[in-house]
Amino acid sequence: MTRLEMTQDVQTRLANHLAPGDQLILDFDDGVGRYSKVGVCSLDVSFRFLIVSNDAVDPVYDEMLTSPAGNVLIKSYADNYLNENPKLTLSHFGLIQLSSAVGVLDSNVEIIDHPAVVTEAK
């Protein structure tokens, strides 16, 4: 199991959003899953934190990372980006930055509390 490191200031920011019964998800925003409105249509890699109720976790988040903030769910194929010492820090601008041994993966990881479920048009 991969460990997601994070600085104390990132842990504090996440803790301010989490309540009992919530699950933290590090979402690779590619348009897959019931919380995605659209996929990223560029060469950029985009991650975001989703905070959802334990009973509302989409099964697409099928792999778990350990972290100082508790277990974090991800899509298993996102592990391709996160398998080399992933770490979260705050930038000089106060943004959450995700990096790994290969460099910065995302310079602005947003935190989205209890996102709306996107339904498909019929």
Side-chain angles (χ1 to χ4, degrees):
M1 188 178 311
T2 302
R3 178 149 176 93
L4 176 63
E5 296 297 330
M6 57 182 70
T7 59
Q8 184 61 50
D9 46 3
V10 172
Q11 292 174 52
T12 301
R13 188 168 295 176
L14 290 171
N16 290 335
H17 290 269
L18 290 166
D22 283 344
Q23 175 62 55
L24 186 59
I25 296 171
L26 182 57
D27 180 42
F28 175 53
D29 192 11
D30 60 348
V32 176
R34 65 191 218 185
Y35 299 112
S36 290
K37 293 182 182 174
V38 295
V40 176
C41 296
S42 70
L43 297 177
D44 295 334
V45 174
S46 179
F47 284 89
R48 61 194 182 150
F49 276 113
L50 304 177
I51 298 171
V52 302
S53 300
N54 282 327
D55 60 352
V57 174
D58 189 321
V60 72
Y61 304 104
D62 57 353
E63 190 170 317
M64 191 172 298
L65 306 176
T66 60
S67 84
N71 292 330
V72 179
L73 292 175
I74 63 170
K75 298 169 185 168
S76 59
Y77 55 86
D79 191 56
N80 293 329
Y81 295 99
L82 302 171
N83 61 3
E84 294 188 47
N85 305 316
K87 183 172 184 178
L88 294 158
T89 58
L90 284 188
S91 72
H92 295 295
F93 302 108
L95 304 174
I96 298 175
Q97 180 174 288
L98 175 63
S99 61
S100 75
V102 298
V104 174
L105 300 173
D106 192 328
S107 60
N108 185 16
V109 180
E110 294 181 85
I111 300 171
I112 302 172
D113 285 321
H114 296 88
V117 174
V118 176
T119 57
E120 294 182 41
K122 295 184 179 190

